[in-house]
Amino acid sequence: MVGLWVVFSVTACDHKVYDHYCHTPVAGWEKNDTLCYDIAPMQQQGMYQLGVGLRLSNAYPFMGITLIVEQTVWPQRRTLIDTVECRLVGQHGKHKQHGISYFQYTQPIGKLSLQAGDSLHITVRHDMQRDILPGVSDVGIFMTKQ
């Protein structure tokens, strides 16, 4: 009975309202390949935490990745653009996350104040010097109500 209560308590604290990943070719995510995410209208007004998730293979050659995340809030057409720098490797050259062939990373983007009925259109693209990034398998957007 106590175990069941713990499971319900943990899941009840998760106010995730959106969590979706887009697949990218592991052979290479092109700089001009913009990923799009559409979040349905909010049921409640309030503060929402936005974040990005990454799944990378061992083929990813860099210690970090820079992403441009553009958020348009509808119906106001308010646009916010964030440059998100994700450090993937610690000071001693080890991945910050555990994995065998793929590594999962999450990075907060920021908080948004949204009204009931507001929806979001989000685009993500990389801003690295190399035009094609190998080893990026999935890029996701998640949002939780605060």
Side-chain angles (χ1 to χ4, degrees):
M1 185 70 168
V2 173
L4 189 57
W5 179 81
V6 170
V7 170
F8 285 125
S9 297
V10 171
T11 58
C13 294
D14 187 3
H15 302 290
K16 196 170 278 188
V17 295
Y18 186 81
D19 189 2
H20 180 75
Y21 279 78
C22 289
H23 180 70
T24 60
V26 177
W29 179 22
E30 294 188 36
K31 195 171 209 164
N32 62 359
D33 184 12
T34 301
L35 305 173
C36 298
Y37 307 84
D38 289 303
I39 301 175
M42 298 295 106
Q43 298 297 313
Q44 301 174 0
Q45 80 172 43
M47 290 300 291
Y48 291 85
Q49 174 69 52
L50 206 61
V52 65
L54 296 166
R55 293 185 189 124
L56 306 174
S57 75
N58 286 325
Y60 188 74
F62 303 110
M63 295 173 57
I65 186 170
T66 302
L67 303 172
I68 305 297
V69 180
E70 186 171 326
Q71 310 145 50
T72 303
V73 180
W74 292 93
Q76 300 93 350
R77 293 187 180 178
R78 178 175 44 133
T79 300
L80 307 162
I81 300 174
D82 289 300
T83 301
V84 180
E85 294 187 26
C86 305
R87 300 300 321 151
L88 309 172
V89 178
Q91 291 179 345
H92 302 290
K94 293 186 180 181
H95 284 275
K96 289 185 174 183
Q97 299 297 323
H98 298 287
I100 296 173
S101 60
Y102 285 89
F103 299 90
Q104 174 81 34
Y105 297 91
T106 58
Q107 178 76 33
I109 297 172
K111 293 183 179 182
L112 286 172
S113 177
L114 298 173
Q115 302 299 315
D118 284 354
S119 62
L120 288 166
H121 176 74
I122 299 173
T123 60
V124 178
R125 65 185 186 279
H126 77 79
D127 191 32
M128 301 293 283
Q129 289 186 358
R130 185 184 262 188
D131 284 340
I132 298 176
L133 290 181
V136 179
S137 70
D138 299 281
V139 178
I141 291 291
F142 61 88
M143 189 165 70
T144 56
K145 182 161 186 338
Q146 301 293 293

